[in-house]
Amino acid sequence: MSATLLAVALSLVSAVAYAAAAVAQERLAARTAGAGAGLWRLLGTGAWWWSVGLNASAALLHVAALKYGPLTLVQPLGALTLVAAVPLGARIAGRRVSSGEWRGTALTLAGLGAILVTASGPAPDDTLALPEALGVAGATAALIGVLSRRGAKPGLRHATASGVASGVASALTQTVTVAATDRSGPLLSVQVIVVALLVAAFAAGGLLLSQTAYRGGLGAPLAMVTLSNPLAAAVIGVSLLGERLQGGVAGLVLAAGGAALAGRGVLLLTRTTSAPPSASPADVVPLPAIPTQPDPEPLALRAS
């Protein structure tokens, strides 16, 4: 199996694991939205640790994919998390996937296919220097601080911040993976240790930000995470790691068309609302009868 196919396979399994984690987080957020659940309350919840385990498994698969494929290939496949989360969330909610959701899924897959044709480059061999990694971390932390400030509609802003944090964590993870396995230097160099700590910080921050974002539902926040994640990683890959799209001008046109299709698909998935399943007769609890007061007029007649 070629390095590109291996990266795609690992990314697909990672996307499914991320989708299961997103559904678990959304259900937990829905249960605790009115309870003022903070970090310490989440740490005592089994469902939270279940979602953390799923995210950790997905992250390990993602790390392996980044070893064999460039950021411009691996990160767009993260959009499949949304595609997998839609039917999974519908099944758990006890409803059918709507026609709009199926159309959104098909368009997203078609767009991703077009992007993958242009993003199928060689395995990565470049890494971020330590000053570059620190600069990226500082700029990202400032952007996350702006996005996660208090204000109206925190869900979408927190989702965007989560996607940016996860995308930067992926870019830094690629640096750690390549630097630690190319055997050109010590395994635990200062670069590897510092960047690994940054990866842990941004990965944990992205997880907590997404938990906050899912209080507003699954579709729109997950779509924002899905879009901002590869965008942040692609900016780093193209500007600092020397990654390029394949095919020249034709490749750029194909990638732009694929991005438009995928964007349309994500928009359809975002607009779809999840209607609650209809209650069965067995689920209907009869209300107790309310006692009525006697008519005052007969009482008045008897008194006279």
Side-chain angles (χ1 to χ4, degrees):
M1 181 181 292
S2 68
T4 297
L5 289 178
L6 184 57
V8 170
L10 291 169
S11 298
L12 292 177
V13 182
S14 174
V16 173
Y18 273 128
V23 172
Q25 283 185 268
E26 188 272 337
R27 290 176 64 82
L28 176 61
R31 291 200 302 267
T32 59
L39 176 60
W40 294 112
R41 184 183 179 91
L42 289 175
L43 292 178
T45 306
W48 164 252
W49 288 109
W50 171 249
S51 67
V52 169
L54 287 171
N55 272 297
S57 301
L60 290 176
L61 292 167
H62 187 73
V63 169
L66 287 172
K67 170 60 181 174
Y68 297 102
L71 280 170
T72 49
L73 168 66
V74 174
Q75 290 305 120
L77 287 170
L80 292 176
T81 297
L82 180 61
V83 176
V86 168
L88 180 61
R91 180 173 180 82
I92 293 178
R95 63 177 181 85
R96 294 182 178 180
V97 180
S98 68
S99 59
E101 289 173 318
W102 285 125
R103 287 196 301 270
T105 299
L107 288 175
T108 303
L109 289 174
L112 282 172
I115 294 174
L116 288 177
V117 171
T118 63
S120 300
D125 56 4
D126 199 4
T127 62
L128 293 173
L130 185 56
E132 291 176 331
L134 293 175
V136 168
T140 303
L143 178 59
I144 290 174
V146 172
L147 291 172
S148 59
R149 70 187 188 280
R150 294 183 179 274
K153 296 182 179 179
L156 293 181
R157 287 192 288 103
H158 280 75
T160 305
S162 174
V164 170
S166 299
V168 171
S170 294
L172 297 175
T173 296
Q174 188 178 65
T175 287
V176 173
T177 304
V178 175
T181 58
D182 64 358
R183 299 180 181 179
S184 62
L187 179 61
L188 295 179
S189 63
V190 175
Q191 178 194 24
V192 171
I193 295 174
V194 173
V195 176
L197 292 175
L198 293 175
V199 169
F202 282 116
L207 182 62
L208 293 175
L209 287 166
S210 65
Q211 184 65 55
T212 301
Y214 291 144
R215 293 176 184 174
L218 180 64
L222 183 55
M224 292 301 296
V225 172
T226 302
L227 290 174
S228 56
N229 184 318
L231 179 60
V235 168
I236 296 174
V238 172
S239 62
L240 296 176
L241 296 177
E243 297 183 2
R244 295 290 183 269
L245 296 177
Q246 307 298 309
V249 176
L252 289 175
V253 173
L254 183 60
L261 279 178
R264 175 62 178 168
V266 169
L267 184 61
L268 286 175
L269 291 171
T270 303
R271 288 177 174 175
T272 304
T273 58
S274 301
S278 57
S280 62
D283 296 329
V284 178
V285 180
L287 296 175
I290 301 176
T292 57
Q293 296 294 332
D295 187 272
E297 185 175 356
L299 291 176
L301 291 176
R302 285 199 295 268
S304 62

